[in-house]
Amino acid sequence: MVGILPLFVVLLIIVSFAMVVAVPVILATPGEWEKSQGIVWSGAGLWSALVILTGVFNAVPA
Amino acid sequence: MFNWNIVAQLLSLALVTLSGPAVIFLLYFKRGNL
């Protein structure tokens, strides 16, 4: 039985990679920041939530 | 037999190593401010 923790870790890795690539591209493309800063904010929120959730589920197994 | 830890480590290394050039190429194709 695979717990929920590896799922959170894999999601965190995927979101981290996406953010590492997307944020510099969005910031350095003229006019792109105004268009897609929502992606950056929601990506940062999702990433932070995954960090907290991973920590919680690592300490208290579901 | 198959060492999954090494596979994951090499995959992570590839991800980190390729993310830098990926940003450069994306900015080039999108005509970003290089």
Side-chain angles (χ1 to χ4, degrees):
Chain A
M1 168 72 189
V2 178
I4 201 163
L5 186 66
L7 180 79
F8 281 139
V9 172
V10 168
L11 272 175
L12 187 59
I13 290 169
I14 292 170
V15 173
S16 300
F17 180 68
M19 293 290 284
V20 159
V21 174
V23 171
V25 173
I26 286 173
L27 285 174
T29 305
E32 192 68 35
W33 172 247
E34 287 79 9
K35 242 195 314 180
S36 40
Q37 56 170 298
I39 295 173
V40 174
W41 294 129
S42 45
L46 178 64
W47 188 89
S48 307
L50 280 170
V51 167
I52 301 295
L53 280 171
T54 307
V56 168
F57 277 93
N58 186 45
V60 189
Chain B
M1 195 67 228
F2 217 62
N3 198 338
W4 289 107
N5 279 334
I6 303 296
V7 175
Q9 285 177 17
L10 286 172
L11 208 70
S12 306
L13 177 67
L15 223 62
V16 170
T17 312
L18 292 176
S19 60
V23 170
I24 304 298
F25 274 102
L26 273 172
L27 281 173
Y28 170 73
F29 286 124
K30 288 170 68 74
R31 304 200 184 285
N33 187 0
L34 279 168

